[in-house]
Amino acid sequence: MQLFRNVFESFVFIYGSTMLFMYALLAILSLRGIIRFQRKNSYVDYNKMLQSPIAPGISIIAPAFNEGVTIIQNVRSLLTLNYPRYEVIIVNDGSTDDTLEKLIKEFQLQVVDFAYNERIKSQPVKRLFKSSNSAYEKLVVIDKVNGKSKADASNAGINAAAYDYFLCTDVDCIIEKDTLLRMIKPFMDEEHNKIKEIGEPCPECGYIHVVEDSIRVIATGATLRLANSCEVDEGVITRVRPPEKWLPRFQEMEYLRAYVLGKMGWSVINCVPNVSGGLGLFDKEIAIKAGGYDSKSFAEDMDIVTRMCTYMIDNKLKYAIRYIPTTQCWTEGPPTMKVFSRQRTRWGRGLAEIITIHRKVIFNPHYKRLGMIVLPYNLLFEFLAPIIEITGVFYYIYQIVTGSINWHNALILLAFVYFYSVMITTLAILWDQITYKHYKTWEEVIGLALMAFLEPFVYHPMIVFFALRGYFHFITGRKHSWGNMQRQGFGQRKPANT
Amino acid sequence: MEYNLYDFRGSSLNIQIAIIFIIIAVSFTVLAYLSILTGRYKAYQREKKLASLHPVIDNLLMEHILLNDELASDIPAEQVALPIEVFRLPVFEHRWARQALIDRLIDYRNNVRGAMGEQLRNLYIQLELDKDSLKKMKSSKWDKKVQALAELSNMNMSIADVTILPLTNSSNRELRAAARHAYIKLSKNEPFKFFEVVTEPLLMWDQVELFKIISTTEHIAIPNFAQWITYSSNKSIVSFCLKLVVHYNQISAVPAVVKLLDTKDHYLRADAINCLGKLKMESVEDKLLQMYDSQPLNCQLEILKALGRISSGRHVDFLRQEFLHATDFDVRKHAAKSIINNKWAAKGIIEELVETATAENKLILKHSMNPLIKY
């Protein structure tokens, strides 16, 4: 028994220390990435792109399900982004409210005979609309049968997309005006079309065949933040504030840690695990070849990125996924425990699903960084973490009950984890401040940073619980449908009510 | 809890590590808080200083330069004596204030044209701000060099070829891009000379920036881009020149573009076909048709698009065949679009296809015919 205890305690200590070491590494990498981004970006004039006839085209795909309350304002916001060549594809995913009627009326839509090429399977598309008003010529509206997932609607949007790149977002997100300019840059910063010749001249065409040998950027992501408590005017954030209510406030802190510290750090070593469903720019050709979004998946954003990466590796193509640290998208975080628990349970289930579906890639050297770093990290430190944590809690309880606990050592170990997690979160907020000072006052920044002291007692146990519930639903195969997040919309010149 | 060094030494390794990391974590957390606060304070101070300096600069520029009637004469700008004494304020002895003045001058110069723009340049020289920029140019840091290049090119200050040309081929992307932009703007005789020396690729982003600069810089000498299309070994330069040929409708470069149709690189070949289509070169239609069957998909699509753009009406039967018999959706779609672009010569064919085509092909045709749908 003593041997078992020693082994278990050592394992947990080594596991925890490795995880904390990984966080420290990510913090260093992300700081390097942010400083490099800032230095390079300070000389970039994005306006040069504004009227360029050689700018690559982008299709914005925004699925909408029962968004009647805010749809008009949100579409107007998407239609006024700063970019010379783009279209906005709104996918009405079988809404049961007046979303479609409002769109038809407001944007003078009419049904068109659209050559819709179903390269990725989705629920049937009923009609496609274009506006008869040339002011809205960028707008395409797809009306389709409800596919019970955002992924299914996004796939329909990809099929209708005219351009080589597509930006996936939620229709109720607020996107910064310069988002397309900033997010396309990483794609344009790589040496495209560098080729290598392979084999002898082809007997049929006489040419030596060539393949791409350059690094191809297949996706770009950016930081997302919560718009709860921000002031919004005509779809534009006019005053940034950390959320006032405690639940979205914890989420804001968590988002900063995940994006500014986590994904930015991974981006430096080209190991980005996923690009958020809220905002991601993708290479359409690769996304289609990888099969598009999995409409059955609960973590469709991570799934598509993983499949795009495996496609590139299987075809011996070099690829990169980039992240930019600036905040380009604002979303409304779940304001109530009910919605929040549903979201996190779904995320937990999605993670379990990803680990299961892509199990052959994990620890497979053929898949290089994806197989040896990205997915193993997700397995060991994302998927297993809640399980090990809850095991540790039970172990503590057992020790307390049996009176075998060494309080002195136990408290030191708890303090170690506690202060370390506070440090990591505080560093994430500092990195965010280095990137851009969104909050107007120092009190707002410090107020947000102080949440890190409460997180281990209040927020973190909830995250662990919902993740475990998600795993349980995955194992039991319990049905779970995505749907309207019951968003409340963004107010006009007043804090978005949370 | 009382804890001394003796206890620490007597603890297990796990506990020792934990204690060390507690100290590190607390220290870094405190440092992070201090950094957040000092960072914000410094930013606040900087903004405050600039907020008080900018109106001073604006007033000086307005009163003594922009609204100064004495300067609005026909005398060449460089011969006008500017009231530079009023600009010799103690605050401009500080580097940050001089930098603010340079930035403001650039802002103003970007917004005014003609004689006033020249007076701002004069002021930049007479206040010896150019020396600040040249000093940055000599810095070993790439970002300082980029800043200097931007300042000097915005102020239209000449830089020796021997200084700037090597930078156009720098391994640092930002530096080489800035050097190329500056070279295009500042070189009086041969703004495109660096095309001959660059071995580093011209990234897509660089191309967009250069395109903008080339197409908006006044009095720029536009050369025949055929020379680089024919001789450059840098494929990105060739690809960029093809775009410039289209922009300037440079028909004299067409023979060089036609030669490019034999290149082994099918990405470059597709660019060449695209260029010929946009130039509406009817004379190359037969060659394009001849090579069509042996091309990869991207080149085939470009050939179909070119036939639509040229719209000679001579190859509608070929387009009809492709539309009816191709299996690839995109091939059929582009064939249909090109048939519609040739509609002056293909009226009968369009009517026949609308009558007889399969449901999917009919949809493609209607899609192509609908003026609301662009792509």
Side-chain angles (χ1 to χ4, degrees):
Chain A
M1 189 61 187
Q2 185 57 39
L3 179 68
F4 170 77
R5 280 175 59 176
N6 287 344
V7 169
F8 180 76
E9 283 172 13
S10 298
F11 165 75
V12 170
F13 184 79
I14 291 167
Y15 174 85
S17 302
T18 313
M19 187 195 264
L20 299 181
F21 169 76
M22 293 299 291
Y23 283 137
L25 193 67
L26 281 177
I28 294 165
L29 289 172
S30 60
L31 179 63
R32 213 181 120 199
I34 288 167
I35 290 172
R36 197 195 294 168
F37 176 86
Q38 294 289 74
R39 280 181 78 194
K40 289 187 172 186
N41 224 44
S42 56
Y43 302 105
V44 176
D45 181 3
Y46 288 99
N47 290 334
K48 285 202 179 114
M49 181 80 140
L50 274 183
Q51 280 146 3
S52 178
I54 60 172
I58 299 174
S59 302
I60 298 177
I61 299 169
F65 176 71
N66 289 352
E67 303 277 359
V69 179
T70 55
I71 189 77
I72 301 303
Q73 190 189 333
N74 294 334
V75 173
R76 281 193 182 283
S77 175
L78 289 174
L79 287 170
T80 54
L81 297 182
N82 297 335
Y83 197 74
R85 241 177 117 207
Y86 76 101
E87 63 177 351
V88 177
I89 302 173
I90 304 296
V91 187
N92 177 47
D93 196 24
S95 295
T96 50
D97 69 352
D98 58 352
T99 302
L100 186 62
E101 289 70 31
K102 279 188 170 172
L103 284 169
I104 291 172
K105 194 178 168 202
E106 182 69 24
F107 298 106
Q108 297 150 50
L109 299 179
Q110 62 183 60
V111 178
V112 288
D113 293 311
F114 195 98
Y116 176 81
N117 184 12
E118 197 180 37
R119 284 166 287 194
I120 311 169
K121 279 275 169 217
S122 73
Q123 285 296 310
V125 166
K126 293 192 274 188
R127 294 171 294 177
L128 281 108
F129 297 86
K130 287 282 292 178
S131 174
S132 55
N133 184 342
S134 60
Y136 309 123
E137 64 175 8
K138 288 184 198 137
L139 182 62
V140 180
V141 174
I142 300 174
D143 181 28
K144 69 179 275 287
V145 173
N146 182 263
K148 294 189 173 62
S149 70
K150 185 190 163 192
D152 190 70
S154 300
N155 284 340
I158 296 170
N159 288 335
Y163 295 120
D164 291 341
Y165 299 96
F166 69 90
L167 181 103
C168 234
T169 185
D170 293 327
V171 78
D172 45 17
C173 282
I174 296 174
I175 294 180
E176 290 284 323
K177 295 288 173 206
D178 61 353
T179 295
L180 299 180
L181 295 169
R182 284 177 177 269
M183 290 187 72
I184 195 71
K185 189 170 183 291
F187 288 90
M188 298 174 73
D189 269 348
E190 291 299 333
E191 298 166 25
H192 273 300
N193 301 344
K194 193 166 142 188
I195 58 148
K196 69 177 175 192
E197 296 172 8
I198 46 166
E200 295 296 312
C202 171
E204 284 178 20
C205 68
Y207 292 106
I208 298 175
H209 285 177
V210 295
V211 291
E212 281 187 53
D213 192 33
S214 48
I215 292 177
R216 183 165 176 168
V217 175
I218 57 172
T220 309
T223 302
L224 264 82
R225 269 181 135 87
L226 297 193
N228 309 48
S229 301
C230 290
E231 285 176 23
V232 184
D233 186 25
E234 295 288 331
V236 177
I237 301 274
T238 53
R239 167 78 163 89
V240 180
R241 279 196 193 89
E244 283 165 13
K245 290 199 171 177
W246 66 271
L247 188 55
R249 200 176 174 87
F250 276 125
Q251 290 171 65
E252 171 102 335
M253 185 192 68
E254 187 192 21
Y255 272 41
L256 290 182
R257 195 172 53 212
Y259 287 102
V260 181
L261 194 138
K263 285 176 184 169
M264 192 63 209
W266 288 125
S267 173
V268 173
I269 52 169
N270 196 18
C271 285
V272 177
N274 75 332
V275 171
S276 165
L279 185 77
L281 185 58
F282 296 87
D283 183 320
K284 189 175 80 175
E285 186 191 346
I286 304 301
I288 289 173
K289 283 180 174 166
Y293 286 100
D294 179 356
S295 59
K296 301 276 187 297
S297 174
F298 285 86
E300 70 282 350
D301 48 0
M302 189 169 177
D303 179 68
I304 194 173
V305 170
T306 308
R307 277 187 295 112
M308 285 171 80
C309 295
T310 51
Y311 170 83
M312 295 299 281
I313 296 166
D314 286 340
N315 288 280
K316 297 184 172 59
L317 298 168
K318 296 174 189 167
Y319 71 93
I321 297 170
R322 303 280 186 229
Y323 235 86
I324 55 173
T326 51
T327 302
Q328 299 301 143
C329 180
W330 305 77
T331 185
E332 190 184 343
T336 63
M337 188 57 79
K338 192 181 164 192
V339 183
F340 178 71
S341 69
R342 211 164 57 201
Q343 183 198 53
R344 295 309 165 109
T345 303
R346 187 172 170 270
W347 288 9
R349 184 175 181 163
L351 184 60
E353 204 177 69
I354 291 288
I355 297 296
T356 315
I357 291 171
H358 299 285
R359 60 187 176 278
K360 285 184 182 164
V361 180
I362 302 172
F363 294 117
N364 184 342
H366 169 71
Y367 290 100
K368 298 171 185 172
R369 291 175 201 209
L370 177 71
M372 300 306 287
I373 301 175
V374 180
L375 288 178
Y377 176 86
N378 274 282
L379 168 69
L380 297 174
F381 300 118
E382 296 287 347
F383 175 72
L384 287 180
I387 298 169
I388 291 172
E389 217 172 311
I390 199 73
T391 314
V393 170
F394 284 129
Y395 183 71
Y396 262 103
I397 293 169
Y398 165 77
Q399 285 202 314
I400 293 167
V401 170
T402 56
S404 57
I405 193 164
N406 178 338
W407 280 108
H408 175 261
N409 286 359
L411 288 175
I412 287 176
L413 288 172
L414 284 173
F416 163 43
V417 176
Y418 176 76
F419 284 114
Y420 202 92
S421 76
V422 169
M423 176 190 76
I424 291 293
T425 305
T426 316
L427 288 179
I429 291 168
L430 172 61
W431 288 188
D432 177 58
Q433 288 289 298
I434 293 171
T435 308
Y436 192 83
K437 293 177 179 58
H438 278 288
Y439 307 121
K440 204 172 170 184
T441 66
W442 66 268
E443 289 95 333
E444 286 171 349
V445 187
I446 299 299
L448 185 67
L450 288 174
M451 299 299 282
F453 289 94
L454 291 178
E455 187 196 13
F457 305 113
V458 184
Y459 187 69
H460 188 71
M462 289 193 303
I463 299 290
V464 172
F465 174 73
F466 295 135
L468 291 171
R469 195 165 75 169
Y471 299 168
F472 180 71
H473 286 183
F474 172 72
I475 293 164
T476 56
R478 184 173 160 167
K479 283 192 176 176
H480 184 118
S481 62
W482 87 295
N484 199 323
M485 208 195 75
Q486 296 156 9
R487 296 181 198 268
Q488 296 165 13
F490 302 113
Q492 302 282 316
R493 278 213 170 278
K494 64 180 182 191
N497 195 2
T498 56
Chain B
M1 196 190 331
E2 230 178 87
Y3 199 84
N4 58 35
L5 198 61
Y6 177 78
D7 293 333
F8 179 80
R9 282 183 185 153
S11 304
S12 65
L13 181 65
N14 291 359
I15 299 301
Q16 286 181 356
I17 292 172
I19 291 167
I20 291 168
F21 273 93
I22 288 171
I23 296 165
I24 291 173
V26 171
S27 309
F28 272 89
T29 305
V30 172
L31 277 176
Y33 272 91
L34 289 176
S35 300
I36 290 171
L37 292 172
T38 51
R40 290 190 70 92
Y41 181 72
K42 278 182 187 169
Y44 168 74
Q45 287 294 324
R46 198 165 46 240
E47 277 169 28
K48 206 171 132 185
K49 277 198 294 188
L50 286 174
S52 65
L53 183 65
H54 279 158
V56 175
I57 296 174
D58 291 346
N59 284 338
L60 287 171
L61 289 175
M62 283 302 219
E63 196 178 329
H64 299 286
I65 307 291
L66 298 175
L67 301 177
N68 189 343
D69 292 337
E70 290 171 25
L71 301 181
S73 63
D74 293 336
I75 305 165
E78 59 273 18
Q79 291 171 20
V80 175
L82 297 171
I84 57 167
E85 288 311 313
V86 296
F87 286 89
R88 298 211 188 278
L89 301 176
V91 68
F92 291 122
E93 283 165 20
H94 299 286
R95 201 189 295 169
W96 67 267
R98 289 173 72 79
Q99 187 59 50
L101 181 56
I102 293 174
D103 294 341
R104 217 59 177 169
L105 281 173
I106 290 171
D107 281 349
Y108 274 91
R109 201 172 136 80
N110 286 339
N111 289 305
V112 294
R113 287 273 173 270
M116 276 308 149
E118 283 308 298
Q119 296 300 357
L120 291 168
R121 178 176 178 271
N122 250 357
L123 183 66
Y124 173 76
I125 296 166
Q126 290 185 26
L127 290 173
E128 297 185 336
L129 296 172
D130 55 332
K131 286 186 180 164
D132 289 37
S133 302
L134 288 168
K135 203 171 159 189
K136 280 178 230 154
M137 193 74 195
K138 284 175 190 159
S139 166
S140 57
K141 292 180 181 165
W142 69 264
D143 50 340
K144 289 279 171 201
K145 280 196 167 87
V146 170
Q147 197 183 1
L149 284 165
E151 287 169 13
L152 293 167
S153 64
N154 275 309
M155 282 295 167
N156 203 19
M157 302 294 294
S158 61
I159 310 171
D161 277 10
V162 68
T163 310
I164 197 167
L165 267 179
L167 299 181
T168 62
N169 218 9
S170 163
S171 58
N172 182 300
R173 288 178 181 186
E174 283 66 33
L175 182 54
R176 73 171 183 251
R180 287 167 183 178
H181 301 166
Y183 195 81
I184 294 262
K185 274 188 173 179
L186 301 176
S187 177
K188 298 285 176 251
N189 304 319
E190 295 179 283
F192 297 91
K193 194 178 170 187
F194 76 87
F195 278 10
E196 288 157 22
V197 295
V198 293
T199 51
E200 294 289 336
L202 207 54
L203 307 177
M204 265 304 287
W205 186 266
D206 298 345
Q207 292 189 22
V208 167
E209 289 189 317
L210 273 180
F211 195 95
K212 171 87 176 173
I213 290 168
I214 293 167
S215 55
T216 54
T217 303
E218 290 172 359
H219 313 304
I220 192 166
I222 300 299
N224 186 342
F225 295 107
Q227 53 186 307
W228 296 292
I229 293 172
T230 309
Y231 297 112
S232 179
S233 57
N234 186 329
K235 286 178 183 172
S236 60
I237 290 283
V238 177
S239 174
F240 184 54
C241 285
L242 289 170
K243 288 168 192 153
L244 291 169
V245 164
V246 173
H247 182 73
Y248 290 105
N249 200 25
Q250 210 169 64
I251 305 297
S252 57
V254 166
V257 183
V258 172
K259 267 188 200 166
L260 204 59
L261 294 178
D262 295 326
T263 176
K264 283 188 278 189
D265 182 341
H266 60 73
Y267 297 104
L268 215 48
R269 214 179 316 133
D271 286 347
I273 299 166
N274 180 286
C275 172
L276 292 168
K278 285 180 177 165
L279 291 174
K280 300 185 193 299
M281 293 312 299
E282 199 178 328
S283 57
V284 298
E285 271 191 325
D286 291 337
K287 185 170 170 67
L288 294 180
L289 234 61
Q290 212 177 5
M291 61 194 278
Y292 181 82
D293 286 332
S294 64
Q295 297 304 306
L297 183 63
N298 65 331
C299 293
Q300 286 190 334
L301 294 179
E302 285 300 338
I303 291 174
L304 292 172
K305 282 190 226 171
L307 294 178
R309 285 173 181 140
I310 296 167
S311 186
S312 69
R314 289 195 295 129
H315 299 290
V316 285
D317 283 334
F318 166 76
L319 293 169
R320 178 178 169 276
Q321 287 299 317
E322 280 303 297
F323 175 68
L324 287 175
H325 302 299
T327 49
D328 187 276
F329 187 90
D330 285 334
V331 169
R332 279 183 286 150
K333 192 171 153 185
H334 286 292
K337 278 190 166 289
S338 292
I339 291 172
I340 303 302
N341 284 342
N342 279 279
K343 66 181 169 203
W344 64 271
K347 224 169 189 176
I349 288 177
I350 294 169
E351 279 168 13
E352 176 220 317
L353 290 174
V354 169
E355 291 293 317
T356 59
T358 61
E360 190 181 52
N361 279 353
K362 208 178 277 181
L363 192 62
I364 293 175
L365 262 181
K366 285 183 178 173
H367 175 113
S368 308
M369 289 159 77
N370 193 328
L372 296 178
I373 306 171
K374 280 192 174 174
Y375 301 99

